[in-house]
Amino acid sequence: MTSVELKADHLELAVDNESTPTDDSLDQAELDAMTEQGDVFGTMAARQIAGVWGELAEISLDLDEITNAVSGKTDHLNQLRDEMGELHTSNSQIGELATTANNIANEATDSTADTTRTVQDSTISIKSLIESVSGISSRLDALTHALERVSGVAANIEAIAKQTNLLALNATIEAARAGAAGKGFAVVAGEVKNLSKQTSDATTDITETVAELRTQIDMLSRDSSDSIDKADQANNDTIKIANAMDDLQTIFDLLKTHVGNIHESSQTNINVCTHVSESLGSFSEDVIEESRRLDTANGHVSQLLELSEDLIEQVVEEGIEIEDTPFITAVRDTAKQIGALFEDAVRGGQITMQDLFDENYVPIPGVEPQQVMGKMVNLTDSILPPVQEPLLKLDPKVTFCAAVDRNGYLPTHNAQYSKPPSDDPVWNMANCRNRRVFNDPTGLGAGQNATKPFLLKTYKRDMGGGVTAVMKDCSAPITVNGQHWGGFRMGYKA
């Protein structure tokens, strides 16, 4: 409530008191006293409004920080939730692979067991074969001995046949001597001689057959010996394979156990990831909802802050003094002074209106943060420092004061913020703030305000190196020959 409204309230009260005719009418002194009292109340109310504005500004900035922090946490939570989803997917794939590996391990174990049994059966069969071949060899040896006995018998028969043949020859001779009496005996001797020849032929066949059999038996014996050697070698190799299969069976049993453990662990991990992912999803939704609520609360506070700023402007326009009044007065006066200086420069031919309002900024290469040049820079560098620099001594709270155009472009800053740029962006952020476009809400608001006599805002100023400062920003429009050029800003600590 302004002082005018307070005065009106008191005057209405006085009229109400006069509605009943009385000789005790209020004199001028009493009216003056009531008016003065209204001024006091108005001043107190204005200061309270200023205090509320300051508190709302602090709350708004705190809410901004909290909202930004919660938004950041929301982003991190969403990212974490996505990563947990990816982890869950990866674990599911690992689980599937572990299941497959477990099945393969089981199949490999069963197959190895079957192979081991087959190798064991082969070993038994080879041993039986060795025994069989060894038995054949023994039988061949016995057959060889038998054939040797047959050869001996054949030799004896051959000897007997030779003797019989000799006897038959003698008998034939004696029968010839006996003449007719020995004729029958000669026949017998001839038959004996034929029998002896046949016996001799038979023994010859037997001897040849036995020799051939001995040759075949020798060859068969050698083959049997080679077969036994090969069977022994096969038996040894089979034993080695059996031992290797036993080792392989042991390894596969261990592998099966380990893969089974991995499979169980992966399933447990999947369950845990599922639980964590669901919890993160629920928590993320809660944080998002809280972020929405914070945004809503921040919006309400921002509206209250704007209302309080409007009230502050009305209070100041009514001439009520608050702690920001000196800053507001200095800003408004300086804005008018700068506008007049610009008009003088245009009239004097130092610059054209077109160049003064130039918005075709040219980037300065190799500077971070980016600096740009406008056609009005030479003029502003010459006429603004004598106006801006003295205002830095207005109050210890004053941090900067500078003119910006409608786009928030600041051509000429205070000397302490207009140092030559370096290769360090952090240092430049704090020390090279001239030739930059400040298109944040506060900067644009100051540059684009063409209707209100002044604006009061609060914001956090990035001083570089992660350092921020809570600031109040007071600005007033700069007009040149009836055209809105921009605004004059003064920043001071809240």
Side-chain angles (χ1 to χ4, degrees):
M1 181 178 294
T2 66
S3 61
V4 173
E5 292 170 335
L6 288 170
K7 291 176 184 178
D9 289 341
H10 285 291
L11 288 174
E12 288 175 2
L13 178 61
V15 172
D16 289 339
N17 290 333
E18 292 176 347
S19 61
T20 302
T22 177
D23 293 334
D24 298 328
S25 300
L26 295 174
D27 58 17
Q28 186 63 41
E30 289 175 326
L31 287 175
D32 291 341
M34 292 180 65
T35 300
E36 183 179 355
Q37 186 178 16
D39 290 338
V40 172
F41 287 154
T43 302
M44 291 175 60
R47 290 177 179 174
Q48 288 178 348
I49 291 172
V52 170
W53 172 59
E55 293 298 326
L56 283 173
E58 292 288 343
I59 293 171
S60 178
L61 292 173
D62 289 339
L63 277 176
D64 282 338
E65 285 190 349
I66 294 171
T67 302
N68 291 333
V70 171
S71 297
K73 296 294 186 299
T74 302
D75 294 338
H76 288 311
L77 278 174
N78 290 332
Q79 182 179 0
L80 182 59
R81 183 178 61 182
D82 294 340
E83 290 176 352
M84 281 301 303
E86 294 176 0
L87 180 60
H88 185 272
T89 302
S90 299
N91 280 324
S92 298
Q93 294 175 350
I94 292 173
E96 293 175 359
L97 293 174
T99 301
T100 304
N102 190 48
N103 294 333
I104 292 174
N106 290 333
E107 293 177 0
T109 301
D110 295 339
S111 177
T112 304
D114 293 340
T115 304
T116 301
R117 286 191 294 270
T118 301
V119 170
Q120 290 173 347
D121 294 341
S122 298
T123 302
I124 294 172
S125 298
I126 291 175
K127 287 182 178 178
S128 298
L129 177 61
I130 292 173
E131 292 175 356
S132 298
V133 172
S134 299
I136 291 173
S137 179
S138 299
R139 291 187 182 90
L140 288 175
D141 289 339
L143 180 59
T144 300
H145 293 311
L147 289 175
E148 288 178 353
R149 287 196 299 274
V150 170
S151 297
V153 171
N156 290 332
I157 292 172
E158 177 67 22
I160 293 170
K162 288 180 179 180
Q163 290 178 356
T164 302
N165 184 47
L166 182 60
L167 290 174
L169 180 61
N170 291 330
T172 299
I173 294 172
E174 290 300 327
R177 283 181 183 176
K183 187 180 292 188
F185 185 74
V187 173
V188 173
E191 292 299 327
V192 170
K193 183 178 179 182
N194 290 333
L195 180 61
S196 174
K197 184 177 183 305
Q198 291 177 358
T199 300
S200 178
D201 292 340
T203 55
T204 300
D205 292 337
I206 290 173
T207 300
E208 292 176 353
T209 301
V210 168
E212 184 176 354
L213 286 174
R214 183 179 291 111
T215 301
Q216 296 296 328
I217 290 173
D218 289 341
M219 294 175 62
L220 186 59
S221 295
R222 287 194 297 273
D223 292 341
S224 297
S225 179
D226 292 340
S227 297
I228 291 174
D229 292 338
K230 292 179 180 178
D232 286 336
Q233 182 65 40
N235 185 52
N236 293 333
D237 292 340
T238 305
I239 292 173
K240 291 179 181 179
I241 293 173
N243 293 333
M245 290 304 298
D246 288 338
D247 294 339
L248 187 61
Q249 180 71 37
T250 302
I251 292 172
F252 272 114
D253 288 339
L254 292 174
L255 178 62
K256 178 181 178 181
T257 301
H258 287 300
V259 171
N261 293 335
I262 293 173
H263 181 258
E264 293 178 1
S265 299
S266 66
Q267 292 300 320
T268 303
N269 195 18
I270 290 173
N271 294 333
V272 172
C273 285
T274 301
H275 177 70
V276 172
S277 182
E278 292 175 352
S279 299
L280 277 175
S282 177
F283 183 55
S284 178
E285 291 176 359
D286 292 341
V287 172
I288 291 172
E289 180 61 28
E290 293 301 322
S291 180
R292 292 196 190 101
R293 292 178 181 176
L294 276 174
D295 286 336
T296 302
N298 198 17
H300 292 319
V301 172
S302 296
Q303 292 177 358
L304 287 175
L305 187 60
E306 290 178 1
L307 289 174
S308 65
E309 289 170 351
D310 291 339
L311 287 174
I312 290 292
E313 292 172 8
Q314 294 179 23
V315 165
V316 173
E317 284 298 299
E318 291 295 333
I320 299 176
E321 291 284 336
I322 59 174
E323 65 174 353
D324 297 284
T325 299
F327 304 105
I328 296 170
T329 301
V331 166
R332 295 179 68 178
D333 292 343
T334 305
K336 293 178 181 179
Q337 182 183 0
I338 292 174
L341 290 173
F342 283 168
E343 290 175 354
D344 291 341
V346 173
R347 281 194 301 270
Q350 294 177 263
I351 194 170
T352 64
M353 287 287 287
Q354 183 178 0
D355 288 346
L356 182 63
F357 283 80
D358 173 50
E359 295 181 353
N360 297 314
Y361 315 119
V362 179
I364 299 175
V367 180
E368 183 65 30
Q370 183 66 64
Q371 291 181 315
V372 296
M373 290 293 290
K375 293 180 179 179
M376 78 293 292
V377 168
N378 290 334
L379 176 67
T380 57
D381 280 352
S382 65
I383 67 174
L384 291 183
V387 177
Q388 296 177 164
E389 295 299 317
L391 287 177
L392 295 174
K393 299 178 182 179
L394 175 67
D395 188 280
K397 295 181 181 179
V398 176
T399 302
F400 75 90
C401 51
V404 295
D405 72 1
R406 295 182 305 278
N407 300 313
Y409 175 53
L410 196 160
T412 303
H413 212 313
N414 305 125
Q416 61 182 337
Y417 303 118
S418 303
K419 297 177 182 178
S422 69
D423 294 333
D424 183 3
V426 176
W427 187 89
N428 293 342
M429 179 70 73
N431 299 279
C432 308
R433 302 179 71 83
N434 59 328
R435 317 282 201 258
R436 287 176 55 190
V437 177
F438 295 94
N439 53 5
D440 56 282
T442 302
L444 281 179
Q448 295 178 354
N449 172 40
T451 57
K452 293 184 177 181
F454 67 91
L455 288 179
L456 272 177
K457 299 291 182 182
T458 54
Y459 70 103
K460 280 197 172 182
R461 185 185 186 202
D462 185 1
M463 304 302 295
V467 178
T468 58
V470 179
M471 302 288 293
K472 287 183 178 180
D473 189 273
C474 180
S475 62
I478 297 173
T479 303
V480 182
N481 294 327
Q483 296 186 36
H484 177 232
W485 180 84
F488 180 73
R489 296 178 61 184
M490 176 180 288
Y492 53 97
K493 296 178 181 177

